Amino acid sequence: MAEQLVFDLPPRAAMGREDFFVSPGNAAAVAGIDGWQGWPFGKMLLVGPEGAGKTHLVHVWADIVGAEVIKARDLTDAAGEALARASGVAVEDVDEIAGRGDAETALFHLHNALAQRGAPLLLTARSAPERWGLDLPDLDSRMRQAGVLRLAPPDDALLAAVMMKLALDREMPLKPRVLSYALKRIERSFAAAQAFIAALDAMALAAKRPPTRKMAKAILAEDKD
């Protein structure tokens, strides 16, 4: 039998507040996003590992505030000038622009323009500003002024919820016995959960059947190798 062709189409992620699972590891960050009007200096930094839910919370906040969202690596002088008039701005993955003078300068000017108008600024990164290695001293000092909200590595309940959400985003049925099997054996990280669900979806599509525990076992065995 010919193997089914698998088209690597990106899943449609659900980004509403009702789609975000609150657990002890992220409850403080969620509360901080809800309390955005009390942020010190009108800015906040959301820190967490890849796949921890930073982008999800950014979009929840942007919907509340009517804010614009941009990746730090996409910042230019022109983009910054346009965003400076927004009711609020979220800049994602700020730690990725260290050493990029154009992006650092654009963020510096955007930060100052928003601060002058009293518009809020939300930033995301995988670590705190002192570990970024920014070249622009004035930007570095302003980033260190921001309050910090941290998303902790997932506990079992949160990891299970994330895996279910990732499966739903892909419109892939995930039976409890398959989820339970994987949950006991998978690396305790959001990145591992994302990789597992993507591999399981691809295997199920190729087999033209819903995912099974046997598929999960094969994927996890490959990860160990």
Side-chain angles (χ1 to χ4, degrees):
M1 180 182 296
E3 186 173 278
Q4 178 180 348
L5 292 176
V6 177
F7 296 95
D8 189 18
L9 298 176
R12 183 185 61 81
M15 289 293 185
R17 174 60 184 272
E18 67 278 5
D19 301 304
F20 192 88
F21 184 87
V22 180
S23 76
N26 62 30
V30 173
I33 292 296
D34 285 341
W36 65 274
Q37 291 173 310
W39 289 352
F41 303 104
K43 56 191 171 188
M44 185 61 71
L45 172 63
L46 185 61
V47 174
E50 179 184 354
K54 298 188 295 295
T55 292
H56 194 149
L57 282 181
V58 160
H59 284 273
V60 169
W61 177 78
D63 284 344
I64 295 171
V65 178
E68 299 292 333
V69 180
I70 188 171
K71 297 286 186 182
R73 60 178 175 270
D74 296 330
L75 270 174
T76 62
D77 287 337
E81 289 177 7
L83 290 169
R85 297 185 290 273
S87 58
V89 176
V91 182
E92 296 191 278
D93 307 321
V94 180
D95 49 329
E96 294 183 2
I97 66 169
R100 287 186 49 187
D102 54 345
E104 287 194 25
T105 300
L107 179 56
F108 174 71
H109 291 313
L110 174 61
H111 167 281
N112 290 348
L114 293 172
Q116 187 174 15
R117 292 177 42 242
L121 173 64
L122 177 60
L123 310 145
T124 75
R126 291 165 295 180
S127 60
E130 55 267 23
R131 299 185 61 184
W132 299 350
L134 295 172
D135 287 340
L136 193 60
D138 288 339
L139 176 62
D140 183 60
S141 65
R142 283 160 176 76
M143 294 297 96
R144 293 181 188 231
Q145 289 176 339
V148 178
L149 300 173
R150 297 185 183 276
L151 291 169
D155 54 25
D156 281 357
L158 179 54
L159 193 60
V162 166
M163 291 169 69
M164 285 298 300
K165 179 186 179 300
L166 291 170
L168 287 171
D169 288 345
R170 292 174 174 272
E171 299 182 356
M172 179 182 73
L174 188 60
K175 293 183 178 179
R177 66 191 304 266
V178 178
L179 175 62
S180 178
Y181 179 87
L183 192 61
K184 293 176 182 177
R185 295 163 177 82
I186 197 169
E187 175 190 315
R188 320 315 287 175
S189 74
F190 295 106
Q194 290 177 320
F196 171 77
I197 292 297
L200 187 63
D201 189 28
M203 188 175 289
L205 285 171
K208 299 182 182 180
R209 58 178 301 188
T212 64
R213 193 170 73 165
K214 184 177 180 180
M215 294 178 187
K217 183 177 180 179
I219 292 167
L220 295 172
E222 289 176 1
D223 290 342
K224 288 182 179 180
D225 292 341

